Amino acid sequence: MVVAFSGAYGLAGVVVPDSVVAAWQDTSGMKDHSEGQDDMDPHDQGMNETGQEAGGMAGHEHAPDGGPAPEGITPATGPTYPVGTKVILTAGHMPGMQGAEAVISGAFDTTTYSVSYMPTTGGHRVVDHRWVVHEELENAGSAPMADGMAVVLNAEHMTGMSGAKATIDSSTAETAYMVDVDADGMTMSNHKWVVESEIKPAS
């Protein structure tokens, strides 16, 4: 019995090259990693600010028409870039955005937040979504909300955002702008949001 087993083992070594065995081992390791995703930190499974898988290159899910500014938001007084100004966007919130020419369609004085949230439609957690404004947080109270605070989103920039539970990652008091822009083959009006440091004058 031992002799037969040893012979079979030796034959397997001849028939199946070591490289194939190594490939089987690698595949097995990948499967184990996939099955263990539930034990990973949600941010490790997340989507980045563009709506892409963290570290991935997926397309964005923003609507072509961003709709009007939220109720209660204050129009900016004397903004650097008034409505109608042509600008260049320096932010890379989505594919095709960085370096794109845009037109300012709204300028507002508010607190603007980067947030991470789990879409109400399921799927991956969205990490470091930029941006939502204070007026798009449910029962937000006084601004600014502290980093790490739990909030509920009252915005629909992307599918599954409205009503989602989120965490404040960071905030800024810069002027917040809505823009009309062509990015990644899509013409978007009233895209929300870019802040002043993500804009430069059009040449």
Side-chain angles (χ1 to χ4, degrees):
M1 182 75 173
V2 173
V3 173
F5 179 79
S6 299
Y9 182 81
L11 182 61
V14 173
V15 175
V16 183
D18 290 342
S19 60
V20 175
V21 174
W24 288 344
Q25 290 172 340
D26 289 345
T27 303
S28 176
M30 290 172 63
K31 181 179 179 182
D32 290 344
H33 178 75
S34 175
E35 290 175 346
Q37 282 187 348
D38 290 342
D39 298 327
M40 295 169 61
D41 183 88
H43 284 74
D44 293 336
Q45 304 179 54
M47 310 286 283
N48 64 18
E49 65 181 350
T50 67
Q52 303 166 359
E53 267 190 66
M57 290 295 292
H60 63 79
E61 300 175 359
H62 289 74
D65 183 359
E71 291 184 12
I73 196 168
T74 303
T77 302
T80 303
Y81 304 104
V83 172
T85 304
K86 289 185 178 181
V87 297
I88 300 296
L89 304 182
T90 61
H93 298 174
M94 65 181 69
M97 185 180 206
Q98 190 167 15
E101 187 173 277
V103 177
I104 301 295
S105 57
F108 303 92
D109 288 330
T110 185
T111 300
T112 310
Y113 301 95
S114 166
V115 296
S116 295
Y117 67 95
M118 180 61 73
T120 58
T121 50
H124 291 281
R125 181 176 175 83
V126 177
V127 178
D128 192 28
H129 173 80
R130 301 184 186 182
W131 303 89
V132 295
V133 295
H134 191 77
E135 292 76 13
E136 294 174 321
L137 304 181
E138 191 173 293
N139 302 319
S142 300
M145 304 288 281
D147 293 0
M149 286 197 69
V151 295
V152 176
L153 305 179
N154 190 20
E156 191 65 42
H157 303 173
M158 296 190 293
T159 301
M161 192 175 193
S162 182
K165 295 178 180 179
T167 303
I168 301 292
D169 293 326
S170 63
S171 63
T172 177
E174 298 174 66
T175 301
Y177 293 90
M178 296 191 306
V179 294
D180 296 341
V181 60
D182 290 337
D184 199 32
M186 179 188 292
T187 299
M188 291 178 286
S189 59
N190 286 355
H191 172 75
K192 305 179 180 71
W193 301 89
V194 291
V195 297
E196 190 152 314
S197 60
E198 298 174 325
I199 297 172
K200 66 180 183 180
S203 56

